[in-house]
Amino acid sequence: MALRRRDSEFKHLGVSYLEYKRVEMDRVLTGFLMRVNHRGLPSKMVHRKDLSVETFVKEFTSDQHTGQFPGFAEHGDITRRWIETQLLDMVNRGKPSQAVAGLRPLHGLTYKFRNYYHSRAYGADAQLYEMLRHARGNRGQAALEQLRRFFFTGLDPALGDGPGDSRIDVETQAVLHLNNQVTQDAPQQLRGWYSAPPLCVGQADLLADDVLRLMSLKDLLPRVTMVEYLKILFALHLALGQLKAMKLLPQAVARGGVDPACGLDHCPATGSAADPLAGCPFRAGLFVDAAGVPGTPAAALAEHSTAVWLRRIPDFVRAGYVVRKLDDFAEHLVGRGEARRPKEGHFSAGELLRFGSEDYKERRERFFTSRLDTILEETPREGQPEALRPLLEAAMGIDPFEQYLELLMAYRGRYHHKYIIETIDSLLLKNRPGALIAQPHRGKRRFVLDSALLEVLVQVALLRPNPRGSRSRFTHHTVSLRLDEFTDLLRTRYGLYIDRLPATDGFAAAGFEEEVALRANTEAFTTKLREIGFYDDLSDAYLTQVITPRFVIAQDGTVTAGSGK
């Protein structure tokens, strides 16, 4: 049978803005920049007609633009290849069915030139924006402002920052040229939309701090490199936020309210601290295979770690349905004048869970009995899942709300399970540059640490807030770290375990075989650091085995070449 929409609806903004579909980070960043430009809202402007590669080629090779783009018309084939590979984000690239999704997100205005149906972010752009919006201590707003300045360049001729400025790269010049032809753009107010803090505000604080650190390198790295760094960093934090929600929400539902340590006013996390998540009861622990080679003992441990997290999905789906359906119940009570809407205008996940208490039992039973009766009247007994039938018998004495939840899980549980796995895979960039998860053909998923992701994490880890503040042109200065300091940082800051096992996330104490695997994993991690040019093995002395930056930024703003290659 097909459930009514009111029954099958799963999404609740107080839990997540994600729609749980496979996402592409180019399109997530494009949507995010749209929201940055419109203070969290989407744009009214939507392209519903296909944009083709030829459309862009004609624009840059036409006679009227030869002065702005000299040589483009004379070398049409090269221009076409540059546009297709460097300027455009493509769907099914290289295949007969390839299509233009939009411009690559190298500038803040690229969202104006996207094919909507090929460039959907499925809520990941909103989730990212709301994480930064709600980061505490004004650090999220500072991060958003830094991103705005970086991406929305070339828009103020009064500052010598406009089209034709030789300091602006050719990709930005191209976007600015296209932007001159677009005038209709305004934020769109969506029905039912509101700004909700993430379930884990500590993860939002950490994201904001990482963005502020990374943006201090914007004048030292090529623009394309910085954009790639940001996409990898955003994907990591979105994924970690989802994993923590899978741990946090079922426990909140079980206790009838969020943990006292959670929330904007109570979260003990401090993004800039040495151990930013100290005191957090929901820290994530992921054992990662540093070598990235399947079939090794370390790979087996990483497979087990991944399986532990994926087994949490059914409980998360059920908890998500509890929140969503209690929201329906709460709205019903508000409409009848039996409950009052919060002053914010919407119920948070924690506020909704109180409607599952004994105080509302009688009214809750009447409400969900009515919903159950409607579903069962529309479904003949033979159309009901066989395993569900005993639970629907009155003699079982099961609460109508629990029966309703079991029915929803029977009909929709597998559906949500499948798409949540796809979402996690895409946010962890499975089998792609920057991956934190890998899966060989017909093999098991396992957490890994791709070189591109490691490079981003090293760049962030070697930066510290500059005590000189605005007296230096850099907001952060660089430091060097010992190998053990860096592995500790990965564990405490991101929950990535290299040289030990995450005891609170599916592992017992390490035995002899595990210790051997951990030593091999640490050696592979060291080798990978050496390969990407950040690790100097100066001698056998442990204190001289350090990770060094590629650019040494002093507190006075002086920049010198580091020993990292």
Side-chain angles (χ1 to χ4, degrees):
M1 66 161 288
L3 296 176
R4 293 186 179 188
R5 183 172 181 177
R6 71 174 189 179
D7 298 309
S8 62
E9 186 67 45
F10 176 72
K11 181 178 178 180
H12 189 276
L13 301 186
V15 174
S16 179
Y17 286 82
L18 293 172
E19 296 176 18
Y20 299 112
K21 298 287 180 66
R22 179 178 287 122
V23 299
E24 294 288 341
M25 286 310 299
D26 272 343
R27 290 146 217 177
V28 172
L29 184 53
T30 297
F32 170 74
L33 294 174
M34 171 185 63
R35 295 182 183 276
V36 169
N37 199 33
H38 292 310
R39 308 298 179 186
L41 294 173
S43 171
K44 286 183 177 180
M45 190 180 67
V46 175
H47 281 291
R48 298 189 183 276
K49 295 182 179 180
D50 283 346
L51 297 171
S52 65
V53 177
E54 287 69 25
T55 302
F56 290 96
V57 172
K58 289 178 181 178
E59 180 64 32
F60 292 108
T61 57
S62 66
D63 293 339
Q64 66 185 97
H65 299 137
T66 54
Q68 190 172 355
F69 299 99
F72 277 46
E74 292 81 357
H75 302 88
D77 187 54
I78 295 176
T79 299
R80 190 186 196 286
R81 288 201 298 270
W82 171 75
I83 289 174
E84 188 171 345
T85 59
Q86 301 298 316
L87 197 63
L88 296 180
D89 173 26
M90 306 291 292
V91 176
N92 300 324
R93 186 183 293 274
K95 299 179 180 179
S97 59
Q98 79 169 13
V100 174
L103 297 178
R104 294 180 62 203
L106 300 175
H107 190 274
L109 298 176
T110 52
Y111 71 87
K112 296 183 179 182
F113 312 97
R114 59 177 184 151
N115 283 329
Y116 174 75
Y117 291 117
H118 293 315
S119 188
R120 284 176 284 188
Y122 295 110
D125 54 337
Q127 181 71 14
L128 182 59
Y129 186 88
E130 295 303 327
M131 288 177 72
L132 287 173
R133 186 205 290 256
H134 290 282
R136 297 169 297 175
N138 204 42
R139 297 184 69 79
Q141 294 299 326
L144 286 170
E145 185 57 33
Q146 288 273 7
L147 292 167
R148 175 184 291 276
R149 291 178 184 176
F150 173 71
F151 278 102
F152 290 86
T153 58
L155 299 176
D156 193 349
L159 299 176
D161 183 27
D165 188 341
S166 61
R167 296 171 298 175
I168 298 178
D169 57 90
V170 64
E171 288 86 2
T172 300
Q173 294 277 10
V175 175
L176 294 176
H177 165 72
L178 293 170
N179 184 60
N180 291 332
Q181 305 172 37
V182 178
T183 58
Q184 296 179 349
D185 179 35
Q188 180 183 14
Q189 298 288 340
L190 298 177
R191 182 180 179 183
W193 186 266
Y194 57 87
S195 176
L199 281 178
C200 181
V201 71
Q203 194 66 42
D205 292 348
L206 194 57
L207 167 62
D209 187 66
D210 278 0
V211 170
L212 289 173
R213 292 191 189 202
L214 192 57
M215 291 308 295
S216 64
L217 300 177
K218 65 182 182 298
D219 295 328
L220 302 176
L221 296 173
R223 185 179 187 85
V224 173
T225 301
M226 177 60 74
V227 172
E228 291 301 315
Y229 277 6
L230 285 169
K231 285 192 295 186
I232 292 172
L233 186 69
F234 289 161
L236 172 67
H237 281 281
L238 284 170
L240 291 178
Q242 173 59 30
L243 293 178
K244 293 185 81 171
M246 286 162 49
K247 197 173 184 179
L248 185 157
L249 191 64
Q251 290 194 32
V253 169
R255 66 181 297 153
V258 297
D259 192 282
C262 293
L264 292 172
D265 299 326
H266 307 290
C267 176
T270 306
S272 57
D275 185 357
L277 299 175
C280 174
F282 301 103
R283 300 180 74 144
L286 290 69
F287 181 80
V288 297
D289 171 20
V293 179
T296 65
L301 293 174
E303 289 173 358
H304 174 73
S305 182
T306 307
V308 167
W309 280 98
L310 296 184
R311 283 198 295 269
R312 290 186 166 121
I313 293 177
D315 287 342
F316 172 74
V317 174
R318 194 180 193 280
Y321 265 131
V322 169
V323 172
R324 184 65 181 85
K325 300 314 165 186
L326 286 178
D327 187 78
D328 293 347
F329 175 53
E331 290 294 335
H332 170 74
L333 294 181
V334 169
R336 293 173 60 89
E338 299 178 26
R340 182 176 298 177
R341 194 184 305 278
K343 62 180 181 180
E344 294 84 2
H346 58 270
F347 291 96
S348 68
E351 290 167 335
L352 288 171
L353 292 177
R354 68 185 176 90
F355 291 101
S357 67
E358 286 293 318
D359 294 341
Y360 295 90
K361 181 178 179 179
E362 182 180 347
R363 284 171 288 179
R364 189 174 61 246
E365 286 186 355
R366 291 201 304 266
F367 179 79
F368 287 107
T369 296
S370 174
R371 286 210 169 180
L372 268 174
D373 289 344
T374 301
I375 294 174
L376 297 179
E377 286 173 4
E378 296 175 354
T379 310
R381 181 176 176 82
E382 57 271 16
Q384 300 169 9
E386 188 172 343
L388 187 64
R389 293 174 194 170
L391 298 177
L392 299 178
E393 298 292 339
M396 294 294 291
I398 300 176
D399 182 285
F401 184 40
E402 295 298 319
Q403 290 181 323
Y404 182 64
L405 292 174
E406 291 299 328
L407 186 146
L408 296 181
M409 289 297 293
Y411 282 114
R412 302 289 288 176
R414 288 186 179 181
Y415 172 88
H416 292 300
H417 187 279
K418 171 187 174 182
Y419 283 107
I420 289 174
I421 288 180
E422 285 195 5
T423 302
I424 293 172
D425 281 349
S426 57
L427 292 178
L428 293 178
L429 304 177
K430 188 177 80 170
N431 297 340
R432 303 178 68 177
L436 189 55
I437 196 169
Q439 184 181 22
H441 181 60
R442 295 184 178 179
K444 296 180 180 179
R445 290 175 174 82
R446 72 186 190 284
F447 293 127
V448 296
L449 190 58
D450 181 76
S451 296
L453 172 59
L454 181 58
E455 182 173 333
V456 174
L457 297 180
V458 170
Q459 296 277 31
V460 171
L462 299 182
L463 291 162
R464 296 291 183 276
N466 196 330
R468 293 198 173 198
S470 60
R471 289 177 294 168
S472 171
R473 67 189 182 101
F474 292 99
T475 59
H476 292 70
H477 68 95
T478 56
V479 297
S480 296
L481 291 177
R482 297 196 314 269
L483 182 63
D484 63 316
E485 292 176 326
F486 183 52
T487 54
D488 287 347
L489 182 145
L490 291 180
R491 184 177 65 256
T492 57
R493 194 171 181 86
Y494 307 105
L496 306 183
Y497 283 66
I498 306 291
D499 56 353
R500 63 185 71 179
L501 300 175
T504 59
D505 283 302
F507 287 92
F512 175 75
E513 292 182 355
E514 287 80 9
E515 291 291 353
V516 172
L518 292 174
R519 285 196 295 272
N521 204 47
T522 304
E523 291 174 5
F525 176 68
T526 305
T527 300
K528 185 163 287 187
L529 279 171
R530 190 180 294 113
E531 289 173 348
I532 64 176
F534 283 97
Y535 180 63
D536 282 339
D537 220 348
L538 299 178
S539 73
D540 292 334
Y542 195 65
L543 294 179
T544 63
Q545 298 176 4
V546 294
I547 301 168
T548 56
R550 289 176 179 166
F551 303 100
V552 177
I553 305 174
Q555 293 183 12
D556 63 2
T558 304
V559 180
T560 56
S563 56
K565 305 298 185 224

